[in-house]
Amino acid sequence: TVKIDVFPIPDQEIDHEQIIHFGQSFSVNLNPKYEYSWTPRDFLICNNNCQSINASPNEDIIYYLIYNDENGCSHKDSIIAKVIFPIFIPNTFTPNGDGKNDVFYAYSKVLEQYELLIYDRWGNLAFKTEDLSKGWDGRINGNPQPQDVYVYKLNYILKYTRNWREKVGTVTLIR
């Protein structure tokens, strides 16, 4: 016969999903009776045996924490941090020369590199740029294009990261 003691899991108030905007942080305060080990340590400030942390991730990340309770049992938990990056992409533009919304482009303070591609309704490439300051003026080969819905594809790298991301959507050209 084997005797097995089953102990309840220590009460921890953990919000397992943290959603923050780029440049912001979140804090977690855990039961002060235990010492904690966190991995990875990226963007993490650990206080008081890591029972209190402050995290400022600049990309989505999963933090794992391990601790031992008073019964010698080891526990593992996790927190998913999701970072919202503000990239502003209009859904309409009016290239009519009035100086307002004449050019379609994506902009953000956190774009490091990008490639913007615009396609017409038949899938033909209408515009391409890798210059963050350039956008589409509604012309193809110097010819104004008709009012229509166009597809954009934005490939980009955010500052402080090395991963290319992609965003696809539509933009309406209004004449």
Side-chain angles (χ1 to χ4, degrees):
T1 305
V2 176
K3 179 181 175 190
I4 299 175
D5 291 325
V6 178
F7 301 103
I9 296 174
D11 186 29
Q12 296 280 10
E13 293 192 26
I14 298 175
D15 186 355
H16 290 92
E17 184 177 77
Q18 298 283 336
I19 299 174
I20 61 170
H21 288 275
F22 181 82
Q24 293 183 332
S25 63
F26 68 91
S27 297
V28 176
N29 295 302
L30 301 169
N31 189 326
K33 295 190 328 188
Y34 314 117
E35 286 187 26
Y36 300 87
S37 173
W38 292 81
T39 56
R41 300 290 295 247
D42 302 350
F43 320 109
L44 196 66
I45 297 172
C46 206
N47 303 306
N48 301 330
N49 295 322
C50 290
Q51 61 191 305
S52 171
I53 62 107
N54 189 16
S56 302
N58 60 21
E59 61 187 357
D60 294 350
I61 192 168
I62 300 174
Y63 289 109
Y64 297 96
L65 62 127
I66 298 173
Y67 63 97
N68 293 322
D69 65 18
E70 62 273 3
N71 298 307
C73 297
S74 180
H75 302 278
K76 184 175 184 178
D77 213 331
S78 63
I79 295 173
I80 298 171
K82 295 181 180 178
V83 182
I84 298 171
F85 296 97
I87 297 176
F88 303 101
I89 304 172
N91 60 6
T92 305
F93 77 117
T94 57
N96 57 12
D98 68 355
K100 299 176 184 173
N101 298 321
D102 285 335
V103 179
F104 172 78
Y105 63 97
Y107 59 97
S108 173
K109 292 181 179 181
V110 294
L111 286 175
E112 183 73 28
Q113 287 181 280
Y114 96 161
E115 176 188 56
L116 176 62
L117 305 158
I118 308 289
Y119 297 92
D120 66 17
R121 67 171 47 215
W122 297 279
N124 299 312
L125 183 64
F127 177 78
K128 177 181 177 180
T129 186
E130 294 178 5
D131 186 338
L132 290 165
S133 65
K134 302 265 193 245
W136 185 43
D137 64 0
R139 298 174 183 266
I140 298 177
N141 298 323
N143 299 315
Q145 294 304 294
Q147 180 168 308
D148 207 343
V149 176
Y150 295 81
V151 173
Y152 69 83
K153 180 177 175 185
L154 177 65
N155 298 308
Y156 60 94
I157 294 178
L158 300 168
K159 289 182 181 177
Y160 315 116
T161 67
R162 295 187 178 148
N163 301 328
W164 281 94
R165 296 179 185 219
E166 179 181 279
K167 187 169 184 115
V168 177
T170 59
V171 60
T172 302
L173 185 157
I174 297 176
R175 292 266 177 215

Short mmCIF file of all heavy atoms in Angstrom, two decimals, residues 113-133:
data_model
loop_
_atom_site.label_atom_id
_atom_site.label_comp_id
_atom_site.label_asym_id
_atom_site.label_seq_id
_atom_site.Cartn_x
_atom_site.Cartn_y
_atom_site.Cartn_z
N GLN A 113 11.25 49.11 -40.58
CA GLN A 113 11.32 48.89 -42.02
C GLN A 113 9.93 48.48 -42.49
O GLN A 113 9.16 47.90 -41.72
CB GLN A 113 12.26 47.73 -42.34
CG GLN A 113 13.72 48.01 -42.19
CD GLN A 113 14.51 46.77 -42.58
OE1 GLN A 113 14.62 45.85 -41.79
NE2 GLN A 113 15.03 46.76 -43.80
N TYR A 114 9.65 48.78 -43.77
CA TYR A 114 8.40 48.26 -44.30
C TYR A 114 8.41 48.20 -45.81
O TYR A 114 9.25 48.80 -46.47
CB TYR A 114 7.23 49.01 -43.73
CG TYR A 114 6.60 50.17 -44.47
CD1 TYR A 114 5.32 50.56 -44.12
CD2 TYR A 114 7.20 50.88 -45.50
CE1 TYR A 114 4.69 51.62 -44.74
CE2 TYR A 114 6.59 51.92 -46.13
CZ TYR A 114 5.32 52.30 -45.75
OH TYR A 114 4.69 53.34 -46.37
N GLU A 115 7.48 47.43 -46.30
CA GLU A 115 7.23 47.32 -47.73
C GLU A 115 5.72 47.41 -47.89
O GLU A 115 4.98 46.63 -47.28
CB GLU A 115 7.73 45.97 -48.26
CG GLU A 115 7.41 45.76 -49.72
CD GLU A 115 7.75 44.35 -50.18
OE1 GLU A 115 7.24 43.38 -49.57
OE2 GLU A 115 8.53 44.23 -51.14
N LEU A 116 5.27 48.39 -48.68
CA LEU A 116 3.85 48.58 -48.92
C LEU A 116 3.56 48.24 -50.37
O LEU A 116 4.20 48.78 -51.29
CB LEU A 116 3.46 50.04 -48.63
CG LEU A 116 2.01 50.42 -48.93
CD1 LEU A 116 1.03 49.62 -48.07
CD2 LEU A 116 1.81 51.92 -48.74
N LEU A 117 2.62 47.33 -50.57
CA LEU A 117 2.21 46.90 -51.90
C LEU A 117 0.72 47.20 -52.07
O LEU A 117 -0.07 46.92 -51.16
CB LEU A 117 2.44 45.40 -52.08
CG LEU A 117 3.87 44.91 -51.81
CD1 LEU A 117 3.87 43.43 -51.49
CD2 LEU A 117 4.75 45.20 -52.99
N ILE A 118 0.34 47.74 -53.21
CA ILE A 118 -1.06 48.02 -53.52
C ILE A 118 -1.42 47.25 -54.79
O ILE A 118 -0.68 47.29 -55.78
CB ILE A 118 -1.30 49.53 -53.79
CG1 ILE A 118 -0.75 50.40 -52.67
CG2 ILE A 118 -2.78 49.80 -54.06
CD1 ILE A 118 -1.50 50.35 -51.38
N TYR A 119 -2.57 46.56 -54.74
CA TYR A 119 -3.03 45.76 -55.88
C TYR A 119 -4.40 46.26 -56.33
O TYR A 119 -5.24 46.65 -55.50
CB TYR A 119 -3.16 44.28 -55.50
CG TYR A 119 -1.83 43.66 -55.11
CD1 TYR A 119 -1.42 43.63 -53.79
CD2 TYR A 119 -1.00 43.10 -56.08
CE1 TYR A 119 -0.20 43.06 -53.42
CE2 TYR A 119 0.21 42.52 -55.72
CZ TYR A 119 0.60 42.52 -54.39
OH TYR A 119 1.80 41.95 -54.04
N ASP A 120 -4.64 46.21 -57.65
CA ASP A 120 -5.97 46.56 -58.15
C ASP A 120 -6.91 45.36 -58.00
O ASP A 120 -6.50 44.30 -57.52
CB ASP A 120 -5.89 47.08 -59.59
CG ASP A 120 -5.45 46.04 -60.61
OD1 ASP A 120 -5.49 44.82 -60.31
OD2 ASP A 120 -5.06 46.43 -61.73
N ARG A 121 -8.13 45.52 -58.44
CA ARG A 121 -9.14 44.46 -58.26
C ARG A 121 -8.81 43.17 -59.00
O ARG A 121 -9.38 42.12 -58.72
CB ARG A 121 -10.52 44.96 -58.64
CG ARG A 121 -10.67 45.24 -60.11
CD ARG A 121 -12.09 45.52 -60.56
NE ARG A 121 -12.75 46.46 -59.69
CZ ARG A 121 -14.05 46.40 -59.40
NH1 ARG A 121 -14.80 45.47 -59.93
NH2 ARG A 121 -14.59 47.29 -58.62
N TRP A 122 -7.90 43.22 -59.97
CA TRP A 122 -7.53 42.03 -60.73
C TRP A 122 -6.24 41.41 -60.22
O TRP A 122 -5.72 40.47 -60.79
CB TRP A 122 -7.40 42.36 -62.22
CG TRP A 122 -8.72 42.81 -62.78
CD1 TRP A 122 -9.75 42.02 -63.17
CD2 TRP A 122 -9.15 44.14 -62.96
NE1 TRP A 122 -10.82 42.77 -63.59
CE2 TRP A 122 -10.46 44.10 -63.47
CE3 TRP A 122 -8.57 45.40 -62.74
CZ2 TRP A 122 -11.20 45.25 -63.76
CZ3 TRP A 122 -9.31 46.53 -63.04
CH2 TRP A 122 -10.59 46.44 -63.54
N GLY A 123 -5.70 41.96 -59.15
CA GLY A 123 -4.49 41.41 -58.57
C GLY A 123 -3.20 41.93 -59.17
O GLY A 123 -2.12 41.42 -58.87
N ASN A 124 -3.30 42.95 -60.01
CA ASN A 124 -2.11 43.56 -60.61
C ASN A 124 -1.47 44.52 -59.62
O ASN A 124 -2.17 45.30 -58.96
CB ASN A 124 -2.46 44.32 -61.89
CG ASN A 124 -3.05 43.41 -62.94
OD1 ASN A 124 -2.50 42.34 -63.22
ND2 ASN A 124 -4.16 43.81 -63.52
N LEU A 125 -0.15 44.48 -59.53
CA LEU A 125 0.56 45.38 -58.64
C LEU A 125 0.44 46.80 -59.17
O LEU A 125 0.85 47.10 -60.29
CB LEU A 125 2.03 44.97 -58.53
CG LEU A 125 2.89 45.79 -57.57
CD1 LEU A 125 2.40 45.63 -56.13
CD2 LEU A 125 4.35 45.36 -57.66
N ALA A 126 -0.12 47.68 -58.36
CA ALA A 126 -0.31 49.08 -58.75
C ALA A 126 0.77 49.98 -58.17
O ALA A 126 1.10 51.01 -58.76
CB ALA A 126 -1.69 49.55 -58.29
N PHE A 127 1.31 49.60 -57.01
CA PHE A 127 2.27 50.47 -56.33
C PHE A 127 3.10 49.64 -55.37
O PHE A 127 2.61 48.67 -54.78
CB PHE A 127 1.52 51.55 -55.55
CG PHE A 127 2.39 52.46 -54.75
CD1 PHE A 127 3.09 53.48 -55.35
CD2 PHE A 127 2.53 52.28 -53.38
CE1 PHE A 127 3.91 54.32 -54.60
CE2 PHE A 127 3.34 53.11 -52.63
CZ PHE A 127 4.03 54.13 -53.24
N LYS A 128 4.37 50.04 -55.23
CA LYS A 128 5.25 49.36 -54.28
C LYS A 128 6.26 50.38 -53.76
O LYS A 128 6.79 51.18 -54.53
CB LYS A 128 5.99 48.21 -54.96
CG LYS A 128 6.98 47.51 -54.05
CD LYS A 128 7.70 46.38 -54.78
CE LYS A 128 8.73 45.73 -53.88
NZ LYS A 128 9.44 44.65 -54.55
N THR A 129 6.49 50.36 -52.44
CA THR A 129 7.53 51.20 -51.85
C THR A 129 8.11 50.52 -50.61
O THR A 129 7.42 49.72 -49.97
CB THR A 129 7.02 52.60 -51.47
OG1 THR A 129 8.13 53.39 -51.03
CG2 THR A 129 5.98 52.54 -50.36
N GLU A 130 9.35 50.85 -50.34
CA GLU A 130 10.00 50.43 -49.09
C GLU A 130 10.42 51.66 -48.29
O GLU A 130 11.09 51.54 -47.27
CB GLU A 130 11.21 49.54 -49.41
CG GLU A 130 10.82 48.22 -50.03
CD GLU A 130 12.01 47.34 -50.37
OE1 GLU A 130 13.16 47.69 -50.05
OE2 GLU A 130 11.77 46.29 -50.99
N ASP A 131 10.01 52.83 -48.75
CA ASP A 131 10.34 54.10 -48.11
C ASP A 131 9.21 54.48 -47.16
O ASP A 131 8.07 54.69 -47.59
CB ASP A 131 10.53 55.18 -49.19
CG ASP A 131 11.01 56.50 -48.62
OD1 ASP A 131 10.81 56.76 -47.43
OD2 ASP A 131 11.57 57.28 -49.41
N LEU A 132 9.52 54.58 -45.88
CA LEU A 132 8.50 54.89 -44.87
C LEU A 132 7.81 56.23 -45.11
O LEU A 132 6.68 56.44 -44.64
CB LEU A 132 9.13 54.90 -43.47
CG LEU A 132 9.57 53.55 -42.92
CD1 LEU A 132 10.49 53.72 -41.72
CD2 LEU A 132 8.37 52.72 -42.54
N SER A 133 8.44 57.12 -45.81
CA SER A 133 7.86 58.45 -46.02
C SER A 133 7.06 58.54 -47.33
O SER A 133 6.47 59.57 -47.62
CB SER A 133 8.96 59.52 -46.02
OG SER A 133 9.82 59.33 -47.12
#
